[in-house]
Amino acid sequence: MSLPKIVLAASLLAATSAYAQSTSGTLVVVPAFAEVVHANDQAVASFNIEEQDKDKAVAASRVNQKMKQGMEIIRREDPQAALKTQGYYTYPVYAEQRPLPNGAVVKPQLTGWRVGQSLEVKTLNLAGLSKTTAAAQKVLALAGLNFGLAPATLRKLDDERIAATYKNLGERIASIAAAMGRNRADATLDTVDFEGSGNYAGQDRAQAAPMAMKSMRMSESASVAEPSFEPGETTLQMNLVGKVRFK
């Protein structure tokens, strides 16, 4: 090797050594990210019933009977579904008042009562959801439907995204070490912060967008065609921040 080449190689070696030496004791903050995707396997449907009559007891009786009938239909079609009644209300209905020319105030005239109740249905039986919904719609109105992940699935996916995020952290540390001219073995993981990135509880995209549906009243004898549903999928993300110190 000629003298100029020897001098150049020695200079590069010295520069590399000096560069590597300058990173000794360096604390590096490393962000990591990962996500897992899973098909939605749970549906939460909201049904309601509302009746109006001049007799409050009559309106309430019809609501109670139809809610009971609707629940029986749903339990028959989907025995494993979890049902929860909620939102029972009773409101007075007044006749529309037109303002008098002299500005006098007319006492509102009670014309009837409006009574209603809601029912929440959680199910994992997505294959039979359309059939169950159509059967229930003969009595109840479908007010809303959300697709998401069952609790057991969420726990399983949480393990997966933690592992995937931690793996990404290791890959980034290796890349940073290579860029700094250091060995991966020279890096010591000092801190792993799963909250420092701002990924606090409730910010994951773990819920699918709700499918809003207009509530419609139907007669008990009406036949309802089965609706079409696409459960879609849910993406769960995770961020973490690791602090790495080089020897």
Side-chain angles (χ1 to χ4, degrees), residues 92-115:
V93 178
Y94 296 96
E96 184 179 354
Q97 299 295 328
R98 296 182 180 181
L100 299 178
N102 59 3
V105 178
V106 180
K107 183 179 179 179
Q109 181 180 359
L110 181 66
T111 60
W113 295 86
R114 189 168 69 249
V115 181

Side-chain angles (χ1 to χ4, degrees), residues 221-237:
S221 60
S223 178
V224 181
E226 292 186 11
S228 298
F229 300 130
E230 287 294 338
E233 60 187 21
T234 291
T235 299
L236 296 175
Q237 298 180 333

Side-chain angles (χ1 to χ4, degrees), residues 40-120:
N40 290 325
D41 58 358
Q42 177 179 271
V44 180
S46 176
F47 294 91
N48 63 25
I49 181 64
E50 182 179 285
E51 292 290 335
Q52 184 172 322
D53 195 276
K54 62 182 180 180
D55 189 326
K56 180 168 59 175
V58 172
S61 181
R62 287 205 298 260
V63 166
N64 297 345
Q65 291 174 356
K66 291 185 177 181
M67 179 57 70
K68 181 180 179 181
Q69 184 180 356
M71 292 172 63
E72 291 174 348
I73 291 173
I74 293 173
R75 288 195 177 101
R76 183 174 64 248
E77 296 292 336
D78 189 354
Q80 302 304 316
L83 279 61
K84 182 174 70 173
T85 55
Q86 54 191 9
Y88 200 108
Y89 61 87
T90 303
Y91 295 125
V93 178
Y94 296 96
E96 184 179 354
Q97 299 295 328
R98 296 182 180 181
L100 299 178
N102 59 3
V105 178
V106 180
K107 183 179 179 179
Q109 181 180 359
L110 181 66
T111 60
W113 295 86
R114 189 168 69 249
V115 181
Q117 187 178 18
S118 298
L119 173 68
E120 180 187 86

Side-chain angles (χ1 to χ4, degrees), residues 167-199:
K167 179 182 178 182
N168 182 251
L169 176 64
E171 295 169 347
R172 288 194 166 211
I173 292 174
S175 297
I176 291 172
M180 295 173 64
R182 303 294 301 272
N183 292 324
R184 172 64 178 84
D186 294 336
T188 301
L189 190 57
D190 181 78
T191 303
V192 178
D193 183 1
F194 282 88
E195 297 293 344
S197 62
N199 185 42

